[in-house]
Amino acid sequence: MSLALAEHKKEDRDQQVPAIIAALGPKSIVLIGLMGAGKTAVGKRLAAKLDLPFVDADKEIEEAAGQSITEIFAEHGEAYFRQGERKVIARLLEAGPQVLATGGGAYMIEEASATIRQRGISIWLRAELPVLLHRVRKRNHRPLLIGRDNEQVMRNLMAERYPIYAEADITVESRDVPHEVIVKEVIEAVAVRLGCHTTRTKAPRSDTVT
Ligand code: S3P
């Protein structure tokens, strides 16, 4: 790559963030995907790059309930958790722009996905089973997995949820690369989606430095 082209690419990147923020308006960037897809890890870094607040829906549910998600599932059941999840997501999406990481089941709640469509740009962090399994097995705090055959549960959830997640505005393949790589791909895809992407393949002739 010529020096001039490299400089232009940098300029494009510098202009990309303000352009995205302007085009986003009050909308939120909403990360969806299965447990282990990297919604929180990518979301935090994405928010930092875009200089937007980062909000984790699961954390907000825990704060609102004064209990951990495991406790909510154990004491009140999944249906109760989903009700709380729907309400919290509706409340959080009133406060955009922000980066919002949702729990894996959130987009499956019809009302929640409708609110996400209205008030956000949805990004599906799609991942293959081995990637997800490797990640979820590192910690044992997810009520849908505790004491169950993780592989079978994840296979079932993929079959049930992937066709619905596929309706998201943007899909980015989550894989075993540094989070920054995924963040960059998300930013590019958001810029394209919002119509503020500049593709420069050649430096203008007059600036060309070889
Ligand atoms: C769930 C995913 C979890 C959490 C809850 C249920 C799901 O969030 O909301 O345990 O139904 O997939 P993460 O996807 O952040 O692990």
Side-chain angles (χ1 to χ4, degrees):
M1 191 190 305
S2 76
L3 183 58
L5 184 53
E7 272 305 306
H8 283 301
K9 285 209 163 178
K10 186 180 174 306
E11 270 171 39
D12 288 348
R13 275 199 304 275
D14 293 347
Q15 286 161 13
Q16 206 171 35
V17 169
I20 288 174
I21 299 303
L24 201 56
K27 286 195 171 186
S28 299
I29 297 179
V30 184
L31 298 168
I32 68 165
L34 269 191
M35 298 175 269
K39 301 175 299 272
T40 303
V42 168
K44 277 184 186 163
R45 290 165 177 83
L46 176 66
K49 274 258 184 286
L50 297 177
D51 204 13
L52 288 175
F54 172 73
V55 186
D56 187 301
D58 280 348
K59 248 198 184 151
E60 296 286 329
I61 297 165
E62 290 183 327
E63 265 169 37
Q67 284 183 309
S68 71
I69 290 180
T70 314
E71 287 166 348
I72 303 173
F73 266 73
E75 274 184 38
H76 308 281
E78 182 172 347
Y80 179 88
F81 169 77
R82 297 298 174 200
Q83 268 181 38
E85 189 170 40
R86 175 177 53 77
K87 285 188 202 153
V88 164
I89 285 175
R91 168 170 62 77
L92 294 174
L93 284 172
E94 282 171 13
Q98 67 202 324
V99 175
L100 174 64
T102 61
Y107 202 72
M108 301 302 291
I109 306 169
E110 244 178 72
E111 212 180 305
S113 65
T115 318
I116 293 170
R117 267 193 298 281
Q118 257 174 26
R119 307 218 170 120
I121 293 195
S122 47
I123 321 271
W124 173 24
L125 293 183
R126 188 191 173 286
E128 295 294 341
L129 183 64
V131 174
L132 297 169
L133 274 180
H134 179 71
R135 292 181 185 164
V136 297
R137 281 178 174 151
K138 284 185 193 160
R139 288 180 67 197
N140 189 25
H141 69 296
R142 292 176 166 103
L144 294 182
L145 298 176
I146 295 171
R148 303 213 178 117
D149 176 345
N150 285 195
E151 180 167 345
Q152 199 49 54
V153 173
M154 294 302 274
R155 274 187 196 282
N156 292 346
L157 289 176
M158 285 173 86
E160 185 192 328
R161 294 179 178 179
Y162 275 21
I164 310 291
Y165 291 162
E167 293 168 9
D169 296 317
I170 292 167
T171 300
V172 170
E173 194 68 25
S174 175
R175 53 210 193 274
D176 280 329
V177 293
H179 294 307
E180 272 63 30
V181 175
I182 309 293
V183 168
K184 201 165 162 243
E185 290 178 9
V186 170
I187 292 177
E188 287 290 327
V190 168
V192 170
R193 174 88 194 177
L194 292 174
C196 47
H197 179 67
T198 22
T199 322
R200 204 192 293 257
T201 47
K202 273 190 184 168
R205 276 187 85 98
S206 57
D207 290 359
T208 305
V209 178
T210 49

